[in-house]
Structures are given as C-alpha cells and as structure tokens.
Amino acid sequence: MRYDVIVIGGGSSGLMAAVAASAHGAQVLLADKGDKLGRKLGISGGGRCNVTNAKELDELIKHIPGNGRFLYSALATFGNKEIVAFFEGMGIALKEEDNGRMFPVSDKAKSVVDALIRKVREQGVHIRTNSPIAEVLYEDGRVQGVRLRSGERVASDAVIVAVGGKSVPHTGSEGDGYVWAERAGHTIVELYPTEVPLESGEPFIRSKELQGLSLRDVSLSVWNAKGKRIVEHEGDLLFTHFGLSGPIALRCSQFVVKQLKEQRAQSKSGAGAAAGVTPAAAAGPTAPAGAAAAAGATVPLTIDLYPAKSVDEIYTETLRLAETESKKAIKNVLKGYLAERMIPLLLEKAGLREELTYDNIPKLAWMDLAKVVKAFPVGANGTLSIEEAFVTGGGVNLKEIDPRTMESKLMAGLYFCGEVLDIHGYTGGYNITAAFSTGYTAGKSAAEAAMLELR
Ligand SMILES: Cc1cc2nc3c(=O)[nH]c(=O)nc-3n(C[C@H](O)[C@H](O)[C@H](O)COP(=O)(O)OP(=O)(O)OC[C@H]3O[C@@H](n4cnc5c(N)ncnc54)[C@H](O)[C@@H]3O)c2cc1C
C-alpha cells in the first residue's frame, strides 16, 4: 500500500498533522508504537489538558524560550485562535484560566484526545497502533517511506516525524526520531531536560524541614558565576524532599541546566576557577553574605519572598510589627508576615536569635533579615533526569528546517513537528500549542506537496 503522507507518532503534533494532511486531500497513514494515541496529551495539564494559551502572538513567542521565533509563520497560520476554533468546532468548549491557560470546560483531557481521534477517523486517516516504525527510508535525496519493526515496508513520498522527545518515555516518546534525522544528514542540538524540578544539596533541603511548603507569588532568580542575574520568574514555588518544584522552578530549570553545563565544562577544561565560584560570591548585589557554598557545580538561586516590596519597606514593616508586639519573641512576631516554617532559617541566616524581643534587636542584623527575605539563597546542583522532565530541550536543528512548511532542507519529503524539534516552551499550554501549530503546518504542507505531485 502506498500513502500520500505517513505520520509517525500519534501524539499532539502527529494527530494534528494527520488532521491537516487529510483535510488537504491526502491519503494518510498514522502509525504509533503504542496501543493508544495521545497518551502524553492525555496526562498534560494535570490530566485536564492545557490545550493552548490565550496570549497574543508576541507574548506566546516570549513564553517559548526554546526558539519560539522559529514559530512566527506556523503560529500565524495555525495559532491559539485557530486551535480554539478547531476544538470548539468539534463541540469541545474551552475556558480560560489564570495566565491565559486554556482548558476544556469538561476538565477532561480525554475529551480533547477523543475529539482528535474522532476527527482523524472521520477524515479517513488509516490508523495503525502497536506499529513501531524502525526506520525512515531514503533514496537519492528523498523519502521513500518507512520500515516497521516487523520488517514491513510502507511507501510514501512524504513522511512526517512526530515522535516527540525523550521525556516521560512510558507515553511512547523514547527519542526514536533523532537517529532518523541524523541519517538524513541533520544535526541534533544536544538534548537536555527542561521544565524539570531542581535538586539542591542545601542542609535545609536534606533535612526536609521545608518539604511540602508552597510559596505563592514569590520570585526565583538564577545567577551566573559572575554574579549576574540570568533570569527571574514570579509565581508559585514548592519545596520538595530533593529541592524545588512548582511553576517558577520549572521555568528557571533550563537556565540552571545551562549554567551547570557551563561550570562543568569549565572545570573539565581546567579553567576551574569559575566552577568553584561560591553562590555567596555569585549571588549578586542583593544576595546576603553567607549564601550556601556547596562544593562542585552549584548554580546560585535566590528566592524573593516579597517581589513587590523593597528591602527598606520590609525592614520598616517588620520592625514596626516587632514594636507593636514588643514583648513577644521575634519568631512569633514574624508569623503573619513570613511563611512560619521558614522563619527559623531566615533568622539564622541573618544572625538573629529567635527569642529576641523588640528592645534587643540589633538594627544591622535586622537589615540583613530584610535582605534575606528579598534574596533567600538556595544552591541548585542538578535537576531530575530528562526522562522525568516535562519537556525535552534540544532536538532537530531548526537551521535545517523550513519554518513555513516544517520540511527538511536536506531530505525532500521529510517533515518534522512537535517536541522532536529544537523547540521548547514553558508549561502553560505553550508546548502543546507549538506541537499543534508545527503539526498542522507539516500536515498541510506535506499534503499540498503530495497533491502537486499527483497533478
Ligand atoms: C506530565 C506532562 C504534563 C505536561 N503538561 C503540559 C502543559 O500543561 N502544557 C504544555 O504546553 N505542555 C505540557 N507538556 C508537554 C506536552 O505534552 C508535549 O510537549 C507535547 O505533547 C509533545 O507532543 P509531540 O507530538 O511532539 O510528542 P508526544 O505527544 O510525546 O507524541 C509522540 C508519539 O510518538 C509515538 N512514537 C514514538 N516513537 C515512535 C515510533 N518509533 N514509531 C511509532 N510511533 C512512535 C509515541 O508513542 C507518541 O504517541 C506536558 C508533558 C508532560 C509529560
């Protein structure tokens, strides 16, 4: 059997590629190695499926720090508005939540996955599950089809690789696409975990004294070895038994990964000194002295517990609190102002005894307390693995892909879409938007090229 278009992978991008290719008149085969389509889509957004994000185009792109600008053309053709219209057209009403995140009104990812599967079936796509593809076949600089692991060959002039990255492999994304890309002459930008929880060896992490503490509306900064702030994200943060998680830790994670890599490379090349930079030295102008100084590669982070207030405001407000309750120990006075479980640590870092009362407060140390509240230091010395990450960073080099079609510039008839490409966004619907948008573009372009050939 010969198909106009073969889509490998029935995840977010592959399902959308199959929808678009069949809608544009192509006879399509959609092959997936798993027994079910859309597994990862089905667990995204905490099982509610964060289908897209309502932000305007420029904002969307800003929230895709891994090469979002490559997506201008694809998003202009099939962006968030088209995604919303597409699902609403199939009877899946969407609702907007905080920060523009869009979910199905049903709060069920299954409704989104089922609608996509229904659509590809209605449009006559031939679906084959439990059909792992072993190889994409090339000859004379163009695609010939695919070979299944069973040995069976299926012919086509257009193959869309939509097999995802390497994260959460039990959903089927095991990194199969990179080898096929390399065999076509593509380079793979080194893979790394992104949107991934951070590990820390700080004593207060190891002791688990903050485990489970969730901080709302704080900010997290990542600093480089020279003491320059690389990035700051505001939102919610969670202390875990191994380090930090929650939306802002995930957003900062790619910067931590890159800093760790840099430090390790420098220490290997003998330039050494930078790798030995202590967070205390590097934690920047607002970081208090005494920031954690773990040995080895450690990236300095600081948590600002009151992003909207200045050090002086915090100093004055906390001092006023202590004055109004002048007989109370400061650890009790601060309870309404700071997360209770952090108070002993904050006081310790500022060199203040918990039992002090207003009359005995050393003003310099109180200023240090205000500084620690603005820049609580945490050294990050790793992240969870790429398999445990929400998203895979790196992938097929975008310089070798036409952004208007998603076709390879090196192999005629070969298309890529979704996470296999060197594109990654923050959580919040941006990755799925990128997957749908590149999937739609690849499907439409592959079908149009196939239809031209037929004429
Ligand atoms: C727990 C979790 C939550 C997430 N939450 C969000 C979120 O809230 N917002 C957001 O934007 N993003 C989120 N993401 C990321 C988002 O889900 C992915 O970026 C997106 O689904 C990637 O789509 P894809 O089509 O590239 O790959 P996938 O959805 O991973 O699909 C790849 C498909 O290819 C198939 N396949 C692989 N190899 C082969 C082969 N050799 N032969 C045949 N088939 C093969 C797999 O079985 C799979 O079905 C989340 C990810 C995870 C893991």
Side-chain angles (χ1 to χ4, degrees), residues 89-159:
M90 293 190 297
I92 307 293
L94 302 178
K95 58 177 172 177
E96 186 176 335
E97 295 193 357
D98 59 319
N99 298 312
R101 296 183 307 151
M102 307 278 309
F103 291 88
V105 170
S106 66
D107 277 331
K108 290 196 175 69
K110 193 173 176 314
S111 62
V112 170
V113 176
D114 287 351
L116 275 165
I117 296 174
R118 221 179 307 125
K119 188 79 175 168
V120 290
R121 285 219 168 97
E122 273 167 22
Q123 292 184 179
V125 171
H126 185 182
I127 299 171
R128 286 182 67 173
T129 48
N130 295 311
S131 301
I133 303 298
E135 192 187 357
V136 181
L137 305 169
Y138 311 117
E139 210 178 289
D140 299 331
R142 67 162 310 125
V143 155
Q144 303 295 324
V146 298
R147 181 173 60 79
L148 277 76
R149 235 177 252 169
S150 63
E152 181 189 351
R153 286 167 183 251
V154 185
S156 179
D157 287 338
V159 170

Coordinates of all heavy atoms in Angstrom, one line a residue, residues 89-159:
G89 N -15.2 23.9 17.2 CA -15.9 23.4 16.0 C -16.3 21.9 16.2 O -17.2 21.4 15.5
M90 N -15.6 21.2 17.1 CA -15.9 19.8 17.3 C -16.7 19.6 18.6 O -16.8 18.5 19.1 CB -14.6 19.0 17.4 CG -13.8 19.0 16.1 SD -12.4 17.8 16.2 CE -11.4 18.6 17.4
G91 N -17.2 20.7 19.1 CA -18.1 20.6 20.3 C -17.3 20.6 21.6 O -17.9 20.2 22.6
I92 N -16.0 20.9 21.5 CA -15.2 20.9 22.8 C -15.0 22.3 23.2 O -14.1 23.0 22.8 CB -13.8 20.2 22.6 CG1 -13.9 18.8 22.0 CG2 -13.0 20.2 23.9 CD1 -14.6 17.8 22.9
A93 N -15.9 22.8 24.1 CA -15.8 24.2 24.6 C -14.6 24.3 25.5 O -14.3 23.4 26.2 CB -17.1 24.5 25.3
L94 N -13.9 25.5 25.3 CA -12.7 25.7 26.1 C -13.0 26.9 27.1 O -13.8 27.8 26.8 CB -11.5 26.0 25.2 CG -11.2 25.0 24.2 CD1 -10.0 25.5 23.3 CD2 -10.8 23.7 24.8
K95 N -12.2 26.9 28.2 CA -12.3 28.0 29.1 C -10.9 28.5 29.4 O -10.0 27.8 29.4 CB -13.0 27.6 30.4 CG -12.3 26.4 31.1 CD -12.8 26.0 32.4 CE -12.2 24.7 32.9 NZ -12.6 24.2 34.1
E96 N -10.9 29.8 29.8 CA -9.6 30.4 30.1 C -9.4 30.5 31.6 O -10.3 30.9 32.3 CB -9.5 31.8 29.5 CG -8.1 32.5 29.6 CD -8.0 33.8 28.9 OE1 -8.8 34.1 28.0 OE2 -7.2 34.6 29.4
E97 N -8.2 30.1 32.0 CA -7.9 30.2 33.5 C -6.8 31.2 33.7 O -6.5 32.0 32.8 CB -7.6 28.8 34.0 CG -8.8 27.9 34.0 CD -8.6 26.6 34.8 OE1 -7.5 26.4 35.4 OE2 -9.5 25.8 34.9
D98 N -6.1 31.2 34.8 CA -5.1 32.1 35.1 C -3.9 32.1 34.1 O -3.7 31.1 33.5 CB -4.5 31.9 36.5 CG -3.9 30.5 36.6 OD1 -4.5 29.5 36.1 OD2 -2.8 30.3 37.2
N99 N -3.3 33.2 33.8 CA -2.2 33.4 32.9 C -2.5 32.9 31.5 O -1.7 32.4 30.8 CB -1.0 32.6 33.4 CG -0.5 33.2 34.7 OD1 -0.4 34.4 34.9 ND2 -0.3 32.3 35.7
G100 N -3.8 33.0 31.1 CA -4.2 32.7 29.7 C -4.3 31.2 29.4 O -4.6 30.8 28.3
R101 N -4.1 30.4 30.4 CA -4.2 28.9 30.1 C -5.6 28.5 29.8 O -6.6 28.8 30.4 CB -3.7 28.1 31.4 CG -2.2 28.4 31.7 CD -1.8 27.5 32.9 NE -2.6 27.7 34.0 CZ -2.8 26.7 34.9 NH1 -2.2 25.5 34.8 NH2 -3.6 26.9 36.0
M102 N -5.7 27.7 28.6 CA -7.0 27.3 28.1 C -7.1 25.8 28.4 O -6.3 25.0 28.0 CB -7.1 27.5 26.6 CG -6.8 28.9 26.2 SD -8.2 30.1 26.3 CE -9.5 29.3 25.6
F103 N -8.3 25.4 28.9 CA -8.6 24.0 29.2 C -10.0 23.7 28.6 O -10.8 24.6 28.4 CB -8.7 23.8 30.7 CG -7.4 23.9 31.4 CD1 -6.9 25.1 31.9 CD2 -6.6 22.8 31.7 CE1 -5.7 25.3 32.5 CE2 -5.4 22.9 32.3 CZ -4.9 24.1 32.8
P104 N -10.3 22.4 28.4 CA -11.7 22.0 28.0 C -12.6 22.3 29.2 O -12.2 22.1 30.4 CB -11.6 20.6 27.7 CG -10.3 20.1 28.4 CD -9.4 21.2 28.5
V105 N -13.8 22.8 28.9 CA -14.8 23.1 30.0 C -15.0 21.8 30.8 O -15.2 21.8 32.1 CB -16.1 23.6 29.4 CG1 -17.2 23.7 30.4 CG2 -15.8 25.0 28.8
S106 N -14.9 20.6 30.2 CA -15.1 19.4 30.9 C -14.0 19.1 31.9 O -14.2 18.2 32.7 CB -15.1 18.2 29.9 OG -13.8 18.1 29.3
D107 N -12.9 19.8 31.8 CA -11.7 19.5 32.7 C -11.2 18.1 32.4 O -10.5 17.5 33.3 CB -12.0 19.7 34.2 CG -11.9 21.1 34.6 OD1 -11.1 21.9 34.0 OD2 -12.6 21.5 35.5
K108 N -11.5 17.6 31.3 CA -11.0 16.2 31.0 C -10.2 16.2 29.7 O -10.7 16.4 28.6 CB -12.2 15.2 30.8 CG -12.9 15.0 32.1 CD -13.8 13.8 32.0 CE -14.5 13.4 33.4 NZ -15.4 14.4 33.8
A109 N -8.9 15.8 29.9 CA -8.0 15.7 28.7 C -8.6 14.6 27.7 O -8.4 14.8 26.5 CB -6.6 15.2 29.2
K110 N -9.3 13.6 28.3 CA -9.8 12.6 27.4 C -10.7 13.2 26.3 O -10.7 12.7 25.2 CB -10.5 11.6 28.3 CG -10.9 10.3 27.6 CD -11.4 9.3 28.5 CE -11.9 8.0 27.9 NZ -12.6 8.1 26.6
S111 N -11.5 14.2 26.7 CA -12.4 14.8 25.7 C -11.6 15.4 24.5 O -12.1 15.3 23.4 CB -13.3 15.8 26.4 OG -12.6 16.9 26.9
V112 N -10.5 15.9 24.8 CA -9.6 16.5 23.7 C -9.0 15.4 22.9 O -9.1 15.5 21.6 CB -8.5 17.4 24.4 CG1 -7.5 17.8 23.3 CG2 -9.1 18.6 25.1
V113 N -8.5 14.4 23.5 CA -7.8 13.3 22.8 C -8.9 12.6 21.9 O -8.7 12.4 20.7 CB -7.2 12.3 23.8 CG1 -6.6 11.1 23.0 CG2 -6.1 13.1 24.5
D114 N -10.1 12.3 22.5 CA -11.1 11.6 21.8 C -11.6 12.4 20.6 O -11.8 11.8 19.5 CB -12.3 11.3 22.7 CG -12.0 10.2 23.7 OD1 -11.0 9.6 23.6 OD2 -12.8 10.0 24.7
A115 N -11.7 13.7 20.8 CA -12.2 14.5 19.6 C -11.2 14.5 18.5 O -11.6 14.4 17.3 CB -12.4 16.0 20.1
L116 N -9.9 14.5 18.8 CA -8.9 14.5 17.8 C -8.9 13.1 17.0 O -8.8 13.1 15.8 CB -7.5 14.7 18.4 CG -7.0 16.1 18.5 CD1 -5.8 16.2 19.5 CD2 -6.7 16.7 17.2
I117 N -9.1 12.1 17.8 CA -9.1 10.7 17.2 C -10.3 10.6 16.3 O -10.3 10.1 15.2 CB -9.0 9.6 18.3 CG1 -7.7 9.7 19.0 CG2 -9.2 8.2 17.7 CD1 -7.6 8.8 20.2
R118 N -11.5 11.1 16.8 CA -12.7 11.1 16.0 C -12.5 11.8 14.7 O -12.9 11.3 13.6 CB -13.8 11.7 16.8 CG -15.2 11.0 16.7 CD -16.2 11.7 17.6 NE -15.9 11.9 19.0 CZ -15.9 13.0 19.6 NH1 -16.3 14.1 19.0 NH2 -15.6 13.2 20.9
K119 N -11.9 12.9 14.8 CA -11.6 13.8 13.6 C -10.8 13.0 12.6 O -11.1 13.0 11.4 CB -11.0 15.1 14.0 CG -10.8 16.1 12.9 CD -12.1 16.8 12.8 CE -12.0 17.9 11.8 NZ -13.4 18.4 11.4
V120 N -9.7 12.4 13.0 CA -8.8 11.8 12.0 C -9.6 10.6 11.4 O -9.4 10.3 10.2 CB -7.4 11.3 12.6 CG1 -6.5 12.5 12.8 CG2 -7.5 10.4 13.8
R121 N -10.4 9.9 12.2 CA -11.1 8.7 11.7 C -12.1 9.2 10.7 O -12.2 8.7 9.6 CB -11.9 8.1 12.8 CG -11.0 7.2 13.7 CD -11.7 5.9 14.1 NE -10.7 5.0 14.8 CZ -10.5 4.9 16.1 NH1 -11.3 5.6 16.9 NH2 -9.6 4.1 16.5
E122 N -12.9 10.3 11.0 CA -13.9 10.9 10.1 C -13.3 11.2 8.8 O -13.9 11.1 7.7 CB -14.5 12.1 10.7 CG -15.7 11.9 11.6 CD -16.0 13.2 12.4 OE1 -15.7 14.3 12.0 OE2 -16.6 13.0 13.5
Q123 N -12.1 11.7 8.8 CA -11.4 12.2 7.6 C -10.7 11.1 6.9 O -9.9 11.4 6.0 CB -10.5 13.4 8.0 CG -11.2 14.6 8.4 CD -10.4 15.8 8.7 OE1 -10.9 16.9 9.0 NE2 -9.1 15.7 8.5
G124 N -10.9 9.9 7.3 CA -10.4 8.7 6.5 C -9.0 8.4 6.7 O -8.4 7.7 5.9
V125 N -8.4 8.9 7.8 CA -7.0 8.5 8.1 C -6.9 7.1 8.5 O -7.7 6.6 9.3 CB -6.4 9.4 9.2 CG1 -5.0 8.9 9.7 CG2 -6.3 10.9 8.8
H126 N -5.9 6.4 8.0 CA -5.7 5.0 8.3 C -4.9 4.9 9.6 O -3.7 5.4 9.5 CB -5.1 4.2 7.2 CG -4.9 2.8 7.4 ND1 -4.3 1.9 6.5 CD2 -5.4 2.0 8.4 CE1 -4.4 0.7 7.0 NE2 -5.0 0.7 8.1
I127 N -5.4 4.5 10.7 CA -4.7 4.5 12.0 C -4.1 3.1 12.2 O -4.9 2.1 12.2 CB -5.6 4.9 13.2 CG1 -6.1 6.3 12.9 CG2 -4.8 4.8 14.5 CD1 -7.2 6.7 13.9
R128 N -2.8 3.0 12.6 CA -2.3 1.8 13.0 C -1.6 2.0 14.3 O -0.5 2.6 14.4 CB -1.3 1.2 11.9 CG -1.9 0.7 10.7 CD -1.0 0.2 9.7 NE -0.3 -1.0 10.2 CZ 0.5 -1.8 9.4 NH1 0.8 -1.4 8.2 NH2 1.1 -2.8 9.9
T129 N -2.1 1.4 15.4 CA -1.5 1.4 16.7 C -0.6 0.1 16.8 O -0.7 -0.7 15.9 CB -2.5 1.5 17.8 OG1 -3.5 0.5 17.6 CG2 -3.1 2.8 17.9
N130 N 0.1 0.0 17.9 CA 1.1 -1.1 18.1 C 1.9 -1.4 16.8 O 2.2 -2.5 16.5 CB 0.3 -2.4 18.4 CG -0.4 -2.3 19.7 OD1 0.2 -1.9 20.7 ND2 -1.7 -2.6 19.8
S131 N 2.3 -0.3 16.2 CA 3.1 -0.4 14.9 C 4.3 0.5 15.0 O 4.4 1.6 14.4 CB 2.2 0.1 13.8 OG 1.1 -0.7 13.7
P132 N 5.3 0.1 15.8 CA 6.5 0.9 15.9 C 7.3 1.0 14.6 O 7.5 0.0 13.9 CB 7.4 0.2 17.0 CG 6.8 -1.2 17.1 CD 5.4 -1.1 16.7
I133 N 7.7 2.2 14.2 CA 8.5 2.4 13.0 C 9.9 2.2 13.4 O 10.4 2.8 14.4 CB 8.2 3.8 12.4 CG1 6.7 4.0 12.1 CG2 9.1 4.0 11.2 CD1 6.1 3.1 11.1
A134 N 10.7 1.4 12.6 CA 12.1 1.2 12.9 C 13.0 2.2 12.1 O 14.0 2.5 12.6 CB 12.5 -0.2 12.5
E135 N 12.5 2.6 10.9 CA 13.4 3.4 10.1 C 12.6 4.2 9.1 O 11.5 3.8 8.6 CB 14.2 2.3 9.3 CG 15.4 2.9 8.5 CD 16.0 1.8 7.7 OE1 15.6 0.6 7.7 OE2 17.0 2.1 6.9
V136 N 13.1 5.4 8.7 CA 12.5 6.1 7.6 C 13.4 5.8 6.4 O 14.7 5.9 6.5 CB 12.5 7.6 7.9 CG1 11.9 8.4 6.7 CG2 11.7 7.9 9.2
L137 N 12.8 5.5 5.3 CA 13.6 5.1 4.1 C 13.9 6.3 3.2 O 13.0 7.0 2.9 CB 12.9 4.0 3.4 CG 12.5 2.8 4.2 CD1 11.5 1.9 3.4 CD2 13.7 2.0 4.6
Y138 N 15.2 6.4 2.8 CA 15.6 7.5 1.9 C 16.3 6.9 0.7 O 17.0 5.8 0.8 CB 16.7 8.4 2.6 CG 16.3 8.8 4.0 CD1 17.0 8.5 5.1 CD2 15.1 9.6 4.2 CE1 16.7 8.9 6.4 CE2 14.8 10.1 5.5 CZ 15.6 9.7 6.6 OH 15.2 10.1 7.8
E139 N 16.2 7.6 -0.4 CA 17.0 7.2 -1.6 C 17.1 8.4 -2.5 O 16.2 9.1 -2.7 CB 16.2 6.1 -2.3 CG 17.2 5.1 -3.1 CD 16.4 4.0 -3.8 OE1 15.8 3.1 -3.0 OE2 16.2 4.1 -5.0
D140 N 18.3 8.6 -3.0 CA 18.6 9.7 -3.9 C 18.1 11.1 -3.4 O 17.4 11.9 -4.1 CB 18.0 9.5 -5.3 CG 18.5 8.2 -5.9 OD1 19.7 7.9 -5.6 OD2 17.8 7.5 -6.7
G141 N 18.3 11.3 -2.1 CA 17.9 12.6 -1.5 C 16.5 12.8 -1.3 O 16.0 14.0 -1.1
R142 N 15.7 11.7 -1.3 CA 14.3 12.0 -1.0 C 13.7 10.7 -0.3 O 14.2 9.6 -0.3 CB 13.4 12.4 -2.2 CG 13.2 11.4 -3.3 CD 12.0 12.0 -4.1 NE 10.9 12.3 -3.2 CZ 10.2 13.4 -3.1 NH1 10.6 14.4 -3.9 NH2 9.2 13.6 -2.2
V143 N 12.6 11.0 0.5 CA 12.0 10.0 1.3 C 11.3 9.0 0.4 O 10.7 9.3 -0.6 CB 10.9 10.7 2.2 CG1 9.8 9.8 2.6 CG2 11.6 11.3 3.4
Q144 N 11.3 7.7 0.8 CA 10.7 6.6 0.1 C 9.6 6.0 0.8 O 8.7 5.3 0.3 CB 11.7 5.5 -0.3 CG 12.9 6.0 -1.1 CD 12.5 6.5 -2.4 OE1 11.6 6.0 -3.1 NE2 13.2 7.6 -2.9
G145 N 9.6 6.2 2.2 CA 8.6 5.5 3.0 C 9.2 5.1 4.4 O 10.1 5.7 4.8
V146 N 8.6 4.1 5.0 CA 9.1 3.7 6.3 C 9.2 2.2 6.4 O 8.5 1.5 5.6 CB 8.1 4.2 7.4 CG1 8.0 5.7 7.5 CG2 6.7 3.6 7.3
R147 N 10.0 1.7 7.3 CA 10.0 0.3 7.6 C 9.6 0.1 9.0 O 10.1 0.8 10.0 CB 11.4 -0.3 7.4 CG 11.6 -1.8 7.7 CD 12.9 -2.3 7.3 NE 14.0 -1.7 8.1 CZ 14.3 -2.0 9.4 NH1 13.7 -2.9 10.0 NH2 15.3 -1.4 10.0
L148 N 8.6 -0.8 9.2 CA 8.1 -1.1 10.6 C 9.1 -2.0 11.3 O 9.9 -2.7 10.6 CB 6.7 -1.7 10.6 CG 5.6 -0.7 10.4 CD1 5.4 -0.2 9.0 CD2 4.3 -1.4 10.9
R149 N 9.0 -2.1 12.6 CA 9.9 -3.0 13.3 C 9.6 -4.5 12.9 O 10.5 -5.3 13.0 CB 9.7 -2.8 14.8 CG 11.0 -2.5 15.5 CD 10.8 -2.3 17.0 NE 11.0 -0.9 17.3 CZ 10.7 -0.3 18.5 NH1 10.1 -1.1 19.4 NH2 10.9 0.9 18.7
S150 N 8.4 -4.7 12.4 CA 8.1 -6.1 12.0 C 8.7 -6.4 10.7 O 8.7 -7.6 10.3 CB 6.5 -6.1 11.8 OG 6.2 -5.2 10.8
G151 N 9.3 -5.4 10.0 CA 10.0 -5.6 8.8 C 9.2 -5.1 7.6 O 9.7 -4.9 6.5
E152 N 7.9 -5.0 7.8 CA 7.0 -4.5 6.7 C 7.5 -3.1 6.2 O 7.8 -2.3 7.0 CB 5.6 -4.4 7.3 CG 4.6 -4.0 6.2 CD 3.2 -3.7 6.9 OE1 3.0 -4.0 8.1 OE2 2.3 -3.1 6.2
R153 N 7.4 -2.9 4.9 CA 7.7 -1.5 4.4 C 6.4 -0.9 3.9 O 5.6 -1.6 3.3 CB 8.7 -1.7 3.2 CG 10.1 -2.0 3.7 CD 11.0 -2.4 2.5 NE 12.3 -2.7 3.1 CZ 13.4 -2.0 2.9 NH1 13.3 -0.9 2.2 NH2 14.5 -2.3 3.4
V154 N 6.3 0.4 4.1 CA 5.1 1.1 3.6 C 5.7 2.3 2.8 O 6.5 3.1 3.3 CB 4.2 1.6 4.7 CG1 3.0 2.3 4.1 CG2 3.8 0.5 5.6
A155 N 5.2 2.5 1.5 CA 5.8 3.5 0.7 C 5.1 4.9 0.8 O 3.8 4.9 1.0 CB 5.8 3.0 -0.8
S156 N 5.8 5.9 0.7 CA 5.2 7.3 0.6 C 6.3 8.3 0.2 O 7.5 8.1 0.5 CB 4.6 7.7 2.0 OG 4.1 9.0 1.9
D157 N 5.9 9.3 -0.5 CA 6.8 10.4 -0.8 C 7.0 11.4 0.3 O 7.8 12.3 0.2 CB 6.4 11.1 -2.1 CG 6.5 10.3 -3.3 OD1 7.4 9.3 -3.3 OD2 5.8 10.5 -4.3
A158 N 6.1 11.3 1.3 CA 6.1 12.3 2.4 C 6.0 11.6 3.7 O 5.0 10.8 4.0 CB 5.0 13.3 2.2
V159 N 7.0 11.8 4.6 CA 6.9 11.2 6.0 C 7.1 12.3 7.0 O 8.0 13.2 6.9 CB 8.1 10.2 6.2 CG1 8.2 9.8 7.6 CG2 7.8 8.9 5.3

